[in-house]
Amino acid sequence: MRMRLKAAAAAVLCLHCLGVYLFTRGFLLTRTELSAFSLPSDLLQAQAPCCSDLPSTTDQDLPGWTPPTVERVLILIVDALRFDFVAPSSLFQKKQKWMDRLSSLQHLASTHPSSSRIFKAIADPPTTSLQRLKALTTGGLPTFIDVGNSFAAPAIQEDNWIHQLVHTGRRVVMMGDDTWTQLFPHHFNHSYPYPSFNVKDLHTVDNGVAQHLVPWLHRQDWDVLIGHFLGVDHAGHIFGVDSQPMVQKLEQINAILQNVTDIMNSQKHLENTMLIVMGDHAQTLNGDHGGGTSEEVETCLFAWMPRSLPSSISSIFHPSTCGLGLNGKNICTSTMQQLDFAVSISALLGIPFPFGSIGRVNPELYALSPGSWDRQWLPASFYEDPSSDLKTWKNNYAHVLCINSWQVKRYIDSYSATSVMGFPSDDLHYITKLYNEAQSRWSDSKNSSCKPENGTIDEFSDFLLSFATLARSAWTEFDMKLMGVGLGIFIISIIFHLFVFERVHSLSNVYDNKTQKSSNHLQIYVAFLLVAVRAVSFLSNSYILAEGRVANFLLATTAIGSIRSSLVYGKIKKHDLVFLILIILIRFGIEKGMSKQAATNPFLNYDSGSDFDLKWLPSLFEGHDFVTLLPEISPMIILFLLSFLSCKYITCTVHSRYIKWVVTVGTMLSYLFIATFWLSERSFAPKMVYVIGLSLFVLNFVLRYLGILEKGETVQRLRSLALVMVSAWSPTILILLGKQGPFVVLVCIIAGWSIISSKNKGLLDDCKMDPISVMQWSLLAICLFYQTGHWCTFDGLRYGAAFIGFDEFKVVRQAILLFVDTFGISHILPIFSLPFLVTIPNSSSSKGRDKTVIFLNLTQVYLLYGLITAITTTFTVLCVAIQRRHLMVWGLFAPKYVFDAIGLLLTDVLICVSALYYC
Amino acid sequence: MRKAEIGATTALALHSLCAAGLATGYWLSHSLYSSSLITDPAPTLRILTVCEAPVVILLFSWLRRDHDRCSFIKAVARGLIGLPIGALINAFGAIVLGAPVGLKFWPATFYWSMLMSLFTFVPAACVFGASKLDWQQILSYSKPSNIVDYMLSVPAHGAIIGAWLGAWPMPLDWERPWQEWPICVAYGAIAGHLIGMLFSPVLIFLHRRHIRTKTE
């Protein structure tokens, strides 16, 4: 029998590992961030094939890989800029009221067709600002999980063109959305950040940019100026696109742009400046963005040079869609990938291309810069026909593309060598073949000293576009097959689990000669009904956000049901009422956590004022010292109480004298160290707590296998084993939870006691497994997770806990601490204390019980607990698979999946450990 | 005994009186004060309580269990005492289940729990008084030997289950006004209560037929 739990738990663990692995491979797109940076000298050192002839400007010290083709760039980002905000309305079926509002851009596009261009810029999902800014600056495809070195800070660790600019001594000025200063904390010469999180504020950021922009345009001490307007995004979020505030916002932006273009036309020092007006992503008519629908990804990029350019530029522009503008002239638009932006801007400014950029220098954008028409790369004698602008340009562009391809190939090689999950090898072979072909053609044309032809450009483009397609499929597309197989394995594991559970259940009924079958069956149905309600609730994003409250609601329902049955069978016991009051306390904790979450989570509309307005309470006691002292003192008092309680129970329960002594002293010392830490903030104290906890944990297993804890009755033995195990873990978890720790642990203990004493009211047999109690245990665990201020997103991790006892950062150590903090109270403690459910109640009647029956019951409890977790997680997985195109998939569903999958695997592992330890 | 005379039709008639009380309350609030449950929940719930309370208390006092020892007046008094006690229990239960406790919700919670008390606690208080055995019997639902038991138990359970189900739409992000506490819970409770009142005569009818076939 003992073997059965171990074998079943191990089998379930394996199945779940496989399922999680496969589903994650299909769903969570992972990309490894490479820490390498491009250096100006790379091109020469690596003997890249493109540089066989050095640039004509070699006498100067070239800071980048290509000569700069513009002097300055002015980038104005309008957050959530839809393509139809800029493009002429004649391109669309019906003129809407938000169209043609940016008339200054349309005017430029129609009057200067050879020095300005409107692009439809296609962004890649996820279309959230942070990911887009990362993509725009690094030239990569940020995914949900970018495996990198950053732990909490959002600062960009990858190579990017802002870094390259700063590195080559250019001056960058930023104004607007403060996300930029979070991403680039030390890069800007001047920055004017404005808070971006208040969605209801339409004007602060825009007015701030408008205020600083004009003075800076008259100054000369900058090379790149970035202005980021947020008002359009916020207006969309609040009022939607089809609204008057949106129209007003667009008109305000238009006025600012008109002013900017007027200044650029009049100022001599801005003659060689490229103006780029662009969106980071677009938005739906409701103002939502984040997903991959065409409304969300089709944003706009407008580029304009004040200087006139050769007229042959028109042959470079793609044959494109044109429409009549407001003034009756034709306006033409092209399409580009936002992926190409980073490398294009690097080529324009003449800086090394960012290491991780996988885009292609966009020919049209490149052609808009005057420098690309100058002879840069070859001695003048090379040209038979120096007057041909177009040939010069093509020669320049071929050089740039060659360097571009070399850089992308270098990234592919480097990525394949170091990343967690590389590309499929077949595709890599194909890409390499394309590159080699293009490269050999390039060197052939060099050797035969004829000018690079059109074919070379096409071959390089072909290579770059093929790789971009491959990268997109690896980093932005879900693998439905793998997801389906993973989900199938989850379902198989549940069937297997049910089968084992049913076998053990019928076996225990054989041992159990009393006639309580029907009642127990009813309880199992009720328990599974509760699981089903909880599981189905995951299909809606609202219930996922309110998961803590849902769990609390269900827990309260079971508690009320238990009171009802108490009434039926006799009197209301005091533990029933205590449990109800505890549930209220837990609920306040959960609501406090939710109001904290609402501050950072834009999806959660939680009105914290409505529910928790006990602010009048402190004012009653104002002026008394004890109000300020209370939060300081109360954890200490509760800690003292806890140490007293644990001391008492250890001495009562554990029978072996030496073990009792060791565990008591260890626990007391731990509590003493915790108190020392809170009073004096000494960092040795938490370290001592961790050491004591770990050594007690190891000691348990050693003693268990030496057979020292084997004495006594089965029930007593089990109970003392469980108590020793829980005492080993609780001080560590307590100190990581911080000052709320003692209170939470006390609540946990009392709630556990209430559940145990209220179980099995109708049953005479105390040691029988009660499915409702197991369900309550699991609901309580979920409530405790939320009560301790956690929630299922990555900003819900309590990063502070990772640094208790340590000041410096080491990934593994801090990750372990964070892990224990996150899952300690909700997984580790509840699962290790499950044996109490079959051993505590009324030990007098359970004396002399058959050992086999007790272990059967323990097996049932563990199997049922595992089954409950597995069912809810499977529903999370199902829901994530269904909602994979949902707006909140990256903000809500994916983090929920990650937390649940980790929780499930942890539960399985802990059940295996418990099976080894207890059985 | 009077209770032996009550049949399914009588039960239906009595229940329809209760329902009429509710309907009157709703109509009054609608026509006189032009308020509905959604726009201003607290006053509407107050009117509903005021209209429903006399109907329920008088009706169930007439159905009191111990006819000989307990006068009509005493039964009414029991109902009046039971009203705040039941309200307290209901409010406590709602707070345990997650009802908001902010000051601005207090009036609505108060009238909602009064109404719930009228649905659940007061009828039983009028009929049973403080008889512990009767209370246990009606809760355990094991041997509903009596027709009045059905009339008490089925609508009360209906109201509680309806209120429980009515709480489920509250966390959804539809941003409708009726998702506020206690509007949808009150709707759920009223609907559950009405369904229970429709259902109990059916059960009574089945029960009587069962007894009749047994005796035959």
Side-chain angles (χ1 to χ4, degrees):
Chain A
M1 196 59 250
R2 296 185 192 188
M3 282 311 292
R4 194 170 294 224
L5 176 57
K6 282 173 209 167
V12 167
L13 174 63
C14 290
L15 275 177
H16 284 164
C17 280
L18 190 64
V20 167
Y21 173 75
L22 289 177
F23 192 85
T24 310
R25 272 301 296 264
F27 173 67
L28 280 190
L29 315 156
T30 27
R31 191 180 65 105
T32 310
E33 286 184 0
L34 301 185
S35 55
F37 284 81
S38 297
L39 294 171
S41 53
D42 279 353
L43 210 54
L44 291 174
Q45 278 169 4
Q47 294 178 332
C50 319
C51 305
S52 49
D53 41 356
L54 289 171
S56 57
T57 46
T58 188
D59 45 340
Q60 294 162 243
D61 201 12
L62 193 67
W65 293 348
T66 56
T69 56
V70 291
E71 196 183 335
R72 291 190 177 91
V73 177
L74 169 59
I75 302 174
L76 296 178
I77 297 177
V78 181
D79 215 290
L81 184 74
R82 285 166 63 98
F83 180 59
D84 59 3
F85 286 163
V86 181
S89 57
S90 52
L91 284 177
F92 303 95
Q93 284 179 343
K94 192 173 165 234
K95 184 181 155 82
Q96 304 281 3
K97 73 173 176 189
W98 62 83
M99 290 178 179
D100 293 333
R101 297 290 170 179
L102 299 178
S103 53
S104 56
L105 298 186
Q106 289 194 4
H107 179 75
L108 278 177
S110 60
T111 51
H112 302 80
S114 64
S115 63
S116 68
R117 194 75 174 166
I118 294 174
F119 295 91
K120 181 194 276 181
I122 313 284
D124 292 290
T127 45
T128 47
S129 285
L130 185 77
Q131 257 80 15
R132 284 300 91 213
L133 292 188
K134 216 170 164 182
L136 284 173
T137 50
T138 62
L141 290 167
T143 55
F144 176 61
I145 296 185
D146 283 347
V147 183
N149 290 325
S150 64
F151 194 49
I156 291 184
Q157 307 285 323
E158 278 182 294
D159 195 4
N160 57 73
W161 54 263
I162 307 267
H163 167 87
Q164 294 294 349
L165 281 174
V166 175
H167 207 69
T168 49
R170 310 294 185 86
R171 295 150 299 181
V172 188
V173 178
M174 196 290 303
M175 49 192 68
D177 187 347
D178 62 356
T179 315
W180 282 90
T181 46
Q182 286 167 23
L183 293 176
F184 305 99
H186 312 296
H187 295 68
F188 301 118
N189 286 45
H190 291 273
S191 64
Y192 305 92
Y194 293 90
S196 58
F197 70 90
N198 185 3
V199 183
K200 286 174 185 160
D201 178 0
L202 299 186
H203 299 299
T204 307
V205 178
D206 292 3
N207 293 346
V209 177
Q211 177 199 339
H212 293 293
L213 187 56
V214 174
W216 269 99
L217 286 181
H218 289 99
R219 288 168 68 160
Q220 302 206 8
D221 55 342
W222 56 272
D223 295 301
V224 173
L225 197 157
I226 301 166
H228 192 140
F229 299 97
L230 265 183
V232 173
D233 181 55
H234 287 184
H237 278 303
I238 301 225
F239 302 104
V241 171
D242 193 1
S243 65
Q244 204 51 40
M246 178 63 88
V247 171
Q248 283 164 2
K249 206 71 230 176
L250 289 173
E251 275 167 355
Q252 182 198 358
I253 300 281
N254 186 45
I256 296 171
L257 291 176
Q258 184 66 54
N259 196 10
V260 168
T261 50
D262 290 346
I263 294 172
M264 284 176 74
N265 269 326
S266 59
Q267 296 284 322
K268 188 77 178 125
H269 73 274
L270 292 175
E271 185 194 53
N272 224 340
T273 300
M274 184 183 266
L275 168 71
I276 295 178
V277 179
M278 64 188 296
D280 53 350
H281 50 77
Q283 55 184 325
T284 64
L285 288 183
N286 294 326
D288 296 328
H289 55 85
T293 65
S294 64
E295 269 196 316
E296 290 160 285
V297 300
E298 284 180 2
T299 178
C300 179
L301 188 145
F302 170 87
W304 171 62
M305 275 309 288
R307 249 173 73 172
S308 60
L309 295 167
S311 57
S312 45
I313 193 170
S314 56
S315 66
I316 294 163
F317 286 147
H318 275 279
S320 46
T321 44
C322 298
L324 286 180
L326 284 178
N327 51 5
K329 283 188 183 168
N330 227 9
I331 299 176
C332 292
T333 63
S334 314
T335 302
M336 71 175 282
Q337 297 294 325
Q338 209 183 43
L339 187 66
D340 299 341
F341 179 76
V343 71
S344 304
I345 200 110
S346 306
L348 294 179
L349 287 162
I351 49 175
F353 302 164
F355 189 86
S357 156
I358 56 170
R360 172 185 71 130
V361 176
N362 185 286
E364 295 164 74
L365 202 56
Y366 186 66
L368 280 171
S369 64
S372 66
W373 299 87
D374 298 341
R375 256 175 263 156
Q376 297 168 336
W377 293 88
L378 286 174
S381 62
F382 179 81
Y383 294 98
E384 296 118 27
D385 181 11
S387 65
S388 166
D389 287 331
L390 199 57
K391 274 182 184 160
T392 321
W393 185 86
K394 278 194 171 156
N395 185 38
N396 288 339
Y397 184 61
H399 269 92
V400 169
L401 264 195
C402 177
I403 295 172
N404 188 354
S405 305
W406 167 79
Q407 167 260 330
V408 170
K409 183 70 175 56
R410 183 176 68 153
Y411 175 71
I412 298 173
D413 294 341
S414 172
Y415 187 85
S416 308
T418 54
S419 75
V420 187
M421 292 178 192
F423 298 106
S425 55
D426 290 352
D427 296 326
L428 267 187
H429 277 302
Y430 175 66
I431 295 285
T432 315
K433 200 183 101 212
L434 282 182
Y435 178 74
N436 289 338
E437 275 171 13
Q439 218 35 273
S440 64
R441 179 155 183 163
W442 168 261
S443 17
D444 283 354
S445 66
K446 289 269 116 180
N447 291 342
S448 62
S449 81
C450 66
K451 50 208 175 297
E453 331 132 35
N454 259 343
T456 337
I457 293 181
D458 290 345
E459 285 196 347
F460 280 129
S461 292
D462 194 24
F463 159 72
L464 289 168
L465 294 178
S466 312
F467 179 64
T469 316
L470 172 64
R472 273 203 187 90
S473 76
W475 291 329
T476 64
E477 278 168 27
F478 302 117
D479 189 335
M480 287 308 291
K481 251 188 227 157
L482 281 179
M483 283 166 73
V485 174
L487 190 60
I489 286 174
F490 273 112
I491 292 167
I492 289 171
S493 92
I494 285 186
I495 294 168
F496 171 73
H497 219 141
L498 272 172
F499 173 71
V500 176
F501 179 72
E502 184 51 40
R503 284 291 300 276
V504 176
H505 192 66
S506 54
L507 209 65
S508 83
N509 278 343
V510 171
Y511 276 95
D512 202 35
N513 41 14
K514 289 166 196 142
T515 52
Q516 293 149 353
K517 269 186 191 172
S518 62
S519 157
N520 210 332
H521 268 290
L522 180 73
Q523 281 171 320
I524 284 188
Y525 291 138
V526 172
F528 275 107
L529 185 73
L530 288 172
V531 177
V533 168
R534 206 174 103 72
V536 171
S537 77
F538 288 147
L539 294 179
S540 157
N541 54 323
S542 310
Y543 290 123
I544 289 183
L545 278 172
E547 194 195 343
R549 296 174 84 193
V550 171
N552 197 58
F553 183 74
L554 292 176
L555 188 61
T557 308
T558 60
I560 288 172
S562 137
I563 284 215
R564 186 182 175 279
S565 58
S566 292
L567 274 172
V568 172
Y569 291 107
K571 268 168 59 180
I572 298 184
K573 308 259 173 49
K574 68 171 177 281
H575 52 74
D576 289 324
L577 290 177
V578 168
F579 196 35
L580 287 188
I581 290 166
L582 275 183
I583 289 171
I584 297 182
L585 286 179
I586 292 174
R587 179 203 140 185
F588 284 143
I590 292 171
E591 274 163 10
K592 210 172 133 202
M594 278 184 88
S595 62
K596 237 188 281 169
Q597 184 187 2
T600 54
N601 191 337
F603 303 127
L604 186 61
N605 289 321
Y606 183 72
D607 188 3
S608 56
S610 68
D611 238 336
F612 212 65
D613 54 356
L614 294 172
K615 285 176 196 123
W616 49 272
L617 207 60
S619 64
L620 282 182
F621 306 106
E622 219 163 346
H624 295 266
D625 283 340
F626 83 96
V627 176
T628 50
L629 280 176
L630 201 64
E632 295 291 315
I633 290 176
S634 56
M636 291 294 174
I637 297 171
I638 300 174
L639 192 68
F640 180 73
L641 197 70
L642 274 180
S643 64
F644 173 73
L645 271 179
S646 50
C647 191
K648 190 177 156 228
Y649 279 113
I650 291 166
T651 44
C652 285
T653 316
V654 183
H655 282 266
S656 164
R657 198 144 41 96
Y658 299 109
I659 312 294
K660 188 194 291 186
W661 191 79
V662 168
V663 174
T664 315
V665 169
T667 315
M668 287 304 108
L669 270 179
S670 301
Y671 284 129
L672 206 66
F673 280 125
I674 295 173
T676 332
F677 175 64
W678 285 345
L679 287 175
S680 65
E681 295 283 324
R682 300 256 177 82
S683 68
F684 77 91
K687 282 179 198 159
M688 290 306 294
V689 174
Y690 305 147
V691 168
I692 292 172
L694 193 67
S695 43
L696 275 180
F697 179 64
V698 173
L699 194 70
N700 282 348
F701 272 89
V702 173
L703 292 176
R704 177 79 178 78
Y705 282 95
L706 291 178
I708 294 177
L709 286 163
E710 299 294 313
K711 279 181 239 156
E713 290 261 347
T714 321
V715 172
Q716 275 176 353
R717 199 177 64 83
L718 252 185
R719 199 186 310 158
S720 56
L721 279 176
L723 193 63
V724 171
M725 188 55 130
V726 171
S727 334
W729 276 100
S730 50
T732 309
I733 292 169
L734 204 150
I735 195 170
L736 287 177
L737 286 176
K739 294 256 166 100
Q740 59 170 343
F743 177 69
V744 173
V745 172
L746 191 70
V747 164
C748 181
I749 289 172
I750 300 175
W753 167 75
S754 311
I755 292 176
I756 290 163
S757 18
S758 68
K759 81 172 194 133
N760 275 335
K761 228 148 281 139
L763 307 178
L764 297 165
D765 186 357
D766 281 321
C767 281
K768 190 123 181 62
M769 186 222 32
D770 180 6
I772 306 236
S773 306
V774 181
M775 183 68 211
Q776 283 180 325
W777 207 262
S778 131
L779 285 174
L780 178 70
I782 296 150
C783 288
L784 287 172
F785 177 81
Y786 286 96
Q787 194 209 351
T788 45
H790 297 98
W791 56 88
C792 288
T793 55
F794 295 110
D795 56 346
L797 294 172
R798 298 173 64 251
Y799 290 104
F803 293 95
I804 289 175
F806 300 98
D807 291 328
E808 71 277 29
F809 172 76
K810 274 189 188 157
V811 178
V812 178
R813 187 177 66 197
Q814 261 59 42
I816 290 173
L817 286 184
L818 194 63
F819 187 78
V820 173
D821 168 66
T822 309
F823 295 105
I825 195 89
S826 58
H827 290 75
I828 298 173
L829 276 189
I831 291 173
F832 279 140
S833 54
L834 272 176
F836 290 129
L837 266 182
V838 290
T839 59
I840 283 265
N842 197 6
S843 57
S844 61
S845 82
S846 57
K847 263 191 186 133
R849 286 191 56 87
D850 191 358
K851 207 171 160 186
T852 328
V853 177
I854 290 167
F855 279 114
L856 262 179
N857 287 332
L858 188 67
T859 310
Q860 270 181 297
V861 166
Y862 270 109
L863 282 177
L864 187 61
Y865 195 91
L867 189 57
I868 290 169
T869 319
I871 290 175
T872 45
T873 309
T874 305
F875 266 85
T876 312
V877 169
L878 180 71
C879 158
V880 164
I882 292 171
Q883 310 270 31
R884 65 188 182 281
R885 293 285 168 214
H886 193 276
L887 165 71
M888 296 182 194
V889 68
W890 301 121
L892 185 70
F893 292 106
K896 172 74 184 146
Y897 165 71
V898 172
F899 274 81
D900 271 16
I902 294 174
L904 177 70
L905 294 184
L906 181 66
T907 306
D908 288 337
V909 168
L910 288 173
I911 288 175
C912 282
V913 172
S914 307
L916 283 176
Y917 180 69
Y918 292 124
C919 288
Chain B
M1 288 296 289
R2 191 192 300 270
K3 64 189 167 194
E5 296 159 15
I6 293 180
T9 38
T10 332
L12 189 63
L14 293 179
H15 279 325
S16 1
L17 270 179
C18 290
L22 273 180
T24 318
Y26 205 81
W27 174 79
L28 268 181
S29 68
H30 216 78
S31 57
L32 283 187
Y33 301 95
S34 67
S35 68
S36 73
L37 208 47
I38 293 170
T39 49
D40 21 22
T44 315
L45 282 172
R46 182 173 60 206
I47 295 168
L48 282 177
T49 311
V50 167
C51 292
E52 180 77 350
V55 180
V56 168
I57 292 175
L58 293 177
L59 230 143
F60 282 93
S61 300
W62 181 64
L63 284 172
R64 67 197 176 278
R65 168 68 42 95
D66 35 5
H67 242 277
D68 308 325
R69 270 173 295 154
C70 178
S71 68
F72 184 75
I73 303 294
K74 201 177 163 194
V76 170
R78 284 197 306 221
L80 287 176
I81 295 168
L83 184 62
I85 296 174
L88 216 63
I89 292 172
N90 273 303
F92 183 70
I95 287 170
V96 169
L97 283 168
V101 291
L103 273 177
K104 70 170 183 182
F105 290 102
W106 280 19
T109 309
F110 176 75
Y111 291 116
W112 173 83
S113 50
M114 282 291 196
L115 193 66
M116 280 303 282
S117 175
L118 283 175
F119 289 164
T120 55
F121 196 81
V122 172
C126 290
V127 175
F128 300 141
S131 157
K132 191 184 159 194
L133 203 72
D134 286 328
W135 281 93
Q136 272 185 6
Q137 206 177 21
I138 200 142
L139 276 171
S140 71
Y141 203 68
S142 52
K143 282 168 247 156
S145 56
N146 200 304
I147 283 156
V148 182
D149 281 0
Y150 279 113
M151 287 185 63
L152 292 175
S153 161
V154 178
H157 278 95
I160 288 172
I161 292 169
W164 191 85
L165 289 175
W168 278 96
M170 283 172 72
L172 288 172
D173 57 356
W174 298 344
E175 298 188 1
R176 301 288 159 82
W178 52 263
Q179 282 178 297
E180 278 268 303
W181 165 260
I183 301 165
C184 52
V185 180
Y187 271 127
I190 292 170
H193 190 61
L194 290 175
I195 291 171
M197 289 199 294
L198 273 177
F199 205 56
S200 77
V202 178
L203 282 180
I204 292 168
F205 177 70
L206 291 176
H207 176 72
R208 284 177 73 104
R209 208 171 61 175
H210 182 68
I211 289 174
R212 215 175 296 146
T213 49
K214 236 182 193 175
T215 47
E216 276 167 13

